[in-house]
């Protein structure tokens, strides 16, 4: 994906406000052995690019003053209540250095899973993205999570998801849950408590002997 920027010389909050009034977005490129560079981008093309999921997790081709650099989107600052981008950060990437990126998860075959088809389970997406590390050329735009065999009452963990070649998961805690299938009412049929046995009837009172 491509993004176009120009170098900006003016610095400070006043200069940034002037850029925004001109429908520009102030930003910065940093990383690598090259000093950080302040940049400006046209707001509307950038705004529409940010609505594309892949723009957030792909290596981008940045055209800057006639040159080209490989970059990753690292941070976006939005206006509190307007659909306006206030500032944006990009990081340079090198072909031989691994990057650490959050990649979105795409859940596949949910409706055809045994959990849904046979048990009417509710599928909860505990995670919608995953931290990975890899070389830039191996970075996927998304990772598929196949729920074909997910059963009711079961969960799917990070280690259960096949990752593309050269991609490794960065786990904050050991093997976190990605998806869980819960049966409506709080569990599977096997989990339902058995009904309490009926109380035994009280013994009948002995009849008094009327004979004397």
């Amino acid at each position: 994906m491509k993004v176009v920027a120009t170098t900006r010389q003016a610095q400070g909050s006043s200069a940034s406000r002037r850029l925004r009034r001109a429908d520009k977005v102030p930003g910065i490129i940093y990383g690598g052995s090259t000093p950080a560079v302040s940049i400006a981008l046209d707001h509307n093309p950038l705004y529409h690019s940010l609505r594309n999921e892949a723009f957030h997790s792909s290596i981008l081709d940045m055209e800057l003053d006639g040159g080209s650099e490989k970059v990753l989107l690292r941070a976006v600052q939005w206006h509190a209540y307007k659909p306006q981008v206030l500032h944006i950060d990009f990081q340079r990437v090198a072909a031989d250095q691994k990057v650490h990126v959050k990649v979105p998860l795409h859940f596949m075959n949910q409706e055809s899973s045994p959990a849904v088809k046979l048990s009417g389970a509710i599928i909860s997406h505990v995670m919608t993205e995953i931290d990975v590390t890899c070389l830039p050329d191996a970075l996927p735009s998304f990772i598929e999570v196949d729920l074909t065999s997910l059963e009711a009452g079961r969960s799917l963990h990070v280690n259960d998801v096949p990752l593309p070649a050269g991609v490794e998961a960065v786990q904050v805690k050991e093997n976190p849950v990605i998806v869980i299938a819960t049966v409506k009412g709080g569990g599977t049929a096997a989990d339902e408590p058995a009904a309490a046995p009926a109380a035994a009837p009280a013994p009948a009172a002995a009849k008094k002997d009327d004979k004397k």
Side-chain angles (χ1 to χ4, degrees):
M1 300 183 72
K2 185 178 179 180
V3 58
V4 179
T6 56
T7 302
R8 61 185 172 98
Q9 303 300 326
Q11 305 291 323
S13 57
S14 296
S16 294
R17 283 194 295 269
R18 287 194 297 271
L19 279 174
R20 295 180 188 119
R21 284 196 294 268
D23 290 328
K24 302 282 187 179
V25 179
I28 191 171
I29 309 174
Y30 63 87
S33 57
T34 307
V37 175
S38 296
I39 60 173
L41 306 91
D42 288 333
H43 181 274
N44 287 346
L46 177 63
Y47 173 82
H48 290 293
S49 293
L50 287 168
R51 299 181 67 181
N52 185 336
E53 180 187 72
F55 192 79
H56 296 257
S57 58
S58 300
I59 304 299
L60 307 173
D61 292 311
M62 175 171 282
E63 183 181 302
L64 180 64
D65 298 337
S68 181
E69 296 193 62
K70 299 289 187 182
V71 300
L72 269 173
L73 173 64
R74 281 309 191 191
V76 182
Q77 181 185 351
W78 292 89
H79 192 280
Y81 56 87
K82 296 179 182 178
Q84 181 184 10
V85 186
L86 299 180
H87 195 276
I88 193 160
D89 295 0
F90 295 95
Q91 180 186 2
R92 299 183 185 95
V93 298
D96 59 349
Q97 295 181 4
K98 288 187 175 183
V99 294
H100 180 184
V101 186
K102 288 183 182 293
V103 175
L105 298 173
H106 286 188
F107 299 94
M108 314 297 291
N109 303 314
Q110 177 170 303
E111 296 303 318
S112 60
S113 68
V116 174
K117 287 189 69 175
L118 302 181
S119 304
I122 298 172
I123 308 298
S124 300
H125 300 162
V126 181
M127 297 172 60
T128 57
E129 58 185 11
I130 184 174
D131 282 333
V132 301
T133 181
C134 61
L135 291 173
D137 285 347
L139 180 63
S141 297
F142 60 87
I143 292 173
E144 289 188 355
V145 181
D146 189 358
L147 304 181
T148 299
S149 58
L150 182 64
E151 298 179 352
R154 304 299 297 272
S155 58
L156 201 66
H157 295 250
V158 167
N159 289 349
D160 299 324
V161 178
L163 299 178
V167 178
E168 298 177 1
V170 179
Q171 300 180 21
V172 176
K173 65 177 183 178
E174 186 177 354
N175 202 18
V177 173
I178 292 179
V179 168
I180 187 166
T182 307
V183 173
K184 298 174 183 178
T188 62
D191 295 330
E192 294 295 331
K207 292 184 179 180
K208 292 183 179 180
D209 190 353
D210 292 334
K211 296 182 180 179
K212 296 199 178 181

